[in-house]
Amino acid sequence: MKQEIIKRVTYTSLDEVMAKLKRESAVTDQLLSLAAGVFKDIGERGDKAVREYTSKYDKVEISGFRVTEAMMDDAERQIPEELKRAIAVASANIEKFHAAQKIAATVTETMPGVRCWQRQVPVGRVGLYIPGGRAPLFSTVLMLAVPAVIAGCREIMLATPPGSNGIPHPAILYAARVAGVESLYRIGGMQAIAAMALGTETIPAVNKIFGPGNSYVTAAKQYASALGVAVDLPAGPSEVMVVADGSANPRFVAADLLSQAEHGPDSQSVLVTTSSSFADAVYAETERQLATLPERETALSSLAGSAIVVVPSEKEILEVVNSYAPEHLILQVPDAA
Amino acid sequence: MKQEIIKRVTYTSLDEVMAKLKRESAVTDQLLSLAAGVFKDIGERGDKAVREYTSKYDKVEISGFRVTEAMMDDAERQIPEELKRAIAVASANIEKFHAAQKIAATVTETMPGVRCWQRQVPVGRVGLYIPGGRAPLFSTVLMLAVPAVIAGCREIMLATPPGSNGIPHPAILYAARVAGVESLYRIGGMQAIAAMALGTETIPAVNKIFGPGNSYVTAAKQYASALGVAVDLPAGPSEVMVVADGSANPRFVAADLLSQAEHGPDSQSVLVTTSSSFADAVYAETERQLATLPERETALSSLAGSAIVVVPSEKEILEVVNSYAPEHLILQVPDAA
């Protein structure tokens, strides 16, 4: 019998479906104690320790961690005009969306003379972490830095691992410049989180750390949080849930599932549908598109942890979506609202 | 020489002041591994384990954890009319304030046809934790439950430890009824957090846990958070920072410091002032008022970890306030804004 590429689940109870969609918890006690060691080391030996970890994990020797203006100029020269235009459009859109979040304080007089309000105050110095790896996440640079600029943070610093030439990916540097990030550091992994949390001779300590990362980075952020440095949230692997009924196009749905699956071997792609025949069609399409996918191996590994869930009715769709609470939700149904 | 009741710090640098105001980190590895044991036990043995922990730590035998309507009625009868009126006023004020936080979604069209918005969605089932101990925190009941009702949470449950008679403090039960909490459970400590995080035969698992607590409860909340159950934030001991200049009344400032100090032996009360003579006056007043304070021992222990900080100018006041980021800040100056 042929090995199935993605498991198929028929709804019996919510608990059983949820058990089959269980995410791997990335942060283990082992990773946390590794983080404890890195933090202790960087707390005691500062830049010297950061340099050693960079040499060990990123396989490059870095003298100054700060990304220079010359490196930034050089990065800008490497970016094709088309990508520059795309980054400009994305940056403008993100700015438009987040600018709408600036709300004026509403003063409520709960009793005569007692005036109460909430005030939005920017975090003083924020540290944005942008992972290296598979694909340069320059969109994440924009999504983290643009709101920080709008909020009015006093200082925005960004840490991202150096490439094999000692310099981060040019698209990350360019996006940071477009977004208005003033200080960039070419450090990555646990050592970057520890350096931003504790500060070193050349890397300033920040008030809050934002950004995604692998399980090492996530463990380091959890450790920083336990030390009292604010972090955004523990990021897990990326995931998508697609809700579709018989009216959707199986080709599009399969493409949605695969686009997430190629993110990383631990990404999760889930389809929830009431139609068993539609589930069959998506399965067949996924198999077909997978054959020509450049990131085939990654997607295969990711699909092995993914699922197509067939539920009896719309009621169970809502139950599953709410319980799973996906990072990305795509609704391919006539009445999405 | 007489033992000083509260230490006096003269500003030399921000780092030095902050080192002297360092809060004790309540959650230790030992507490976290204790929490791990309690969670494992309750996960495996459910209600039976909760009953055993309650017997061990609260020194009462509880058969049903759910607080009955009869207990609620009985609590209501025990509350004096004056307290009932105060709870009604507080509840109305809290409702007025939080109702103003309900904001309509702003739809932003970032590009033609691309409409983006944020939507406020209530958490399905919330678990509110109210500690027992020194004083019944019925105001905390209102401050947690009233916003949950306004948000439209599907189910609001509240856990609070039983008193020596097996029943929680009547003021807590009464405030919960006023706020609209439907289900109350008489469980406390780590076992309450574990039961709400995992669910048992009679206690439903919640989506998010809110509320203060001692270092055991805080450790249990951190452990729950690591398991993937949302929590509000790790609560430390309560604290106040008072900023006052020579124009303030030392009697009021001393009273502000002491009102926080009597909260618990690990509370922190801090005065920041530019006037050394005013600092002397507050010290003397604190000593005088302390003599007649009913909770004198608690306050003394709390003041031992507190400080009066004299800084050179307003600039350093802002630095200290921003770095310390107090839970409560009282400004006794002519121009507070």
Side-chain angles (χ1 to χ4, degrees), chain B residues 1 6 13 30-31 33 46 59 88 104 163 181 190 229 269 337:
Chain B
M1 196 191 140
I6 178 169
S13 76
Q30 209 183 340
L31 280 177
S33 70
K59 315 275 182 228
V181 176
M190 283 188 168
V229 178
S269 301

Side-chain angles (χ1 to χ4, degrees), chain B residues 92-117:
Chain B
N93 286 347
I94 293 168
E95 191 174 340
K96 226 178 273 176
F97 178 65
H98 287 289
Q101 289 168 14
K102 265 203 146 169
I103 47 171
T106 308
V107 178
T108 308
E109 192 156 358
T110 54
M111 299 182 83
V114 180
R115 297 163 63 229
C116 308
W117 65 94

Side-chain angles (χ1 to χ4, degrees), chain A residues 153-168:
Chain A
C153 297
R154 186 166 38 76
E155 191 181 336
I156 302 168
M157 60 175 275
L158 185 148
T160 192
S164 54
N165 63 349
I167 300 174

Side-chain angles (χ1 to χ4, degrees), chain A residues 166-183:
Chain A
I167 300 174
H169 194 286
I172 289 179
L173 301 188
Y174 177 71
R177 175 174 270 186
V178 169
V181 175
E182 306 103 355
S183 43

Side-chain angles (χ1 to χ4, degrees), chain A residues 12-322:
Chain A
T12 43
S13 77
L14 181 60
D15 284 348
E16 274 190 39
V17 170
M18 289 311 297
K20 292 202 172 125
L21 298 181
K22 206 165 159 30
R23 301 164 173 101
E24 292 297 321
S25 172
V27 173
T28 58
D29 288 348
Q30 208 183 338
L31 279 178
L32 281 175
S33 72
L34 187 62
V38 173
F39 272 70
K40 186 165 179 289
D41 202 13
I42 290 177
E44 285 167 7
R45 300 193 301 127
D47 283 342
K48 194 158 184 300
V50 177
R51 245 188 308 274
E52 286 171 18
Y53 286 112
T54 302
S55 165
K56 184 170 169 193
Y57 294 116
D58 297 313
K59 316 271 182 236
V60 281
E61 305 299 324
I62 303 278
S63 48
F65 300 119
R66 183 89 187 235
V67 175
T68 63
E69 279 303 301
M71 291 177 196
M72 298 293 283
D73 293 341
D74 197 43
E76 184 161 352
R77 274 190 294 272
Q78 291 176 58
I79 307 292
E81 281 310 312
E82 198 187 343
L83 180 54
K84 280 189 185 169
R85 277 192 300 272
I87 288 176
V89 169
S91 179
N93 286 347
I94 293 168
E95 191 175 341
K96 225 179 274 179
F97 178 64
H98 288 289
Q101 289 167 14
K102 265 204 147 168
I103 47 172
T106 309
V107 178
T108 309
E109 193 157 0
T110 54
M111 300 182 81
V114 180
R115 298 163 62 229
C116 307
W117 66 94
Q118 289 188 307
R119 207 178 129 198
Q120 293 182 325
V121 181
V123 177
R125 189 188 282 138
V126 294
L128 314 181
Y129 183 76
I130 304 295
R134 252 157 232 293
L137 299 179
F138 54 85
S139 61
T140 309
V141 174
L142 299 175
M143 286 188 283
L144 294 177
V146 170
V149 170
I150 292 172
C153 297
R154 186 166 38 76
E155 191 181 336
I156 302 168
M157 60 175 275
L158 185 148
T160 192
S164 54
N165 63 349
I167 300 174
H169 194 286
I172 289 179
L173 301 188
Y174 177 71
R177 175 174 270 186
V178 169
V181 175
E182 306 103 355
S183 43
L184 283 92
Y185 293 84
R186 42 186 180 148
I187 45 175
M190 282 187 167
Q191 60 273 23
I193 304 299
M196 292 198 287
L198 304 170
T200 69
E201 302 92 306
T202 64
I203 303 161
V206 303
N207 302 112
K208 188 163 179 177
I209 298 172
F210 294 81
N214 59 18
S215 55
Y216 291 86
V217 168
T218 303
K221 280 172 65 185
Q222 282 200 10
Y223 192 81
S225 165
L227 288 183
V229 179
V231 300
D232 50 351
L233 79 172
S238 199
E239 66 198 17
V240 71
M241 182 171 267
V242 183
V243 171
D245 57 19
S247 73
N249 186 332
R251 278 179 52 207
F252 295 167
V253 172
D256 280 337
L257 297 177
L258 285 169
S259 73
Q260 192 65 38
E262 51 178 18
H263 258 71
D266 48 5
S267 288
Q268 210 169 36
S269 301
V270 181
L271 166 65
V272 188
T273 181
T274 50
S275 162
S276 174
S277 60
F278 182 74
D280 294 339
V282 171
Y283 187 98
E285 259 304 322
T286 306
E287 205 161 23
R288 203 183 59 76
Q289 293 182 24
L290 187 63
T292 58
L293 206 67
E295 293 280 351
R296 189 168 185 279
E297 287 311 310
T298 307
L300 259 177
S301 152
S302 160
L303 289 177
S306 300
I308 293 178
V309 183
V310 178
V311 299
S313 76
E314 278 187 14
K315 181 176 152 282
E316 288 81 15
I317 289 184
L318 289 176
E319 274 180 26
V320 171
V321 170
N322 275 331

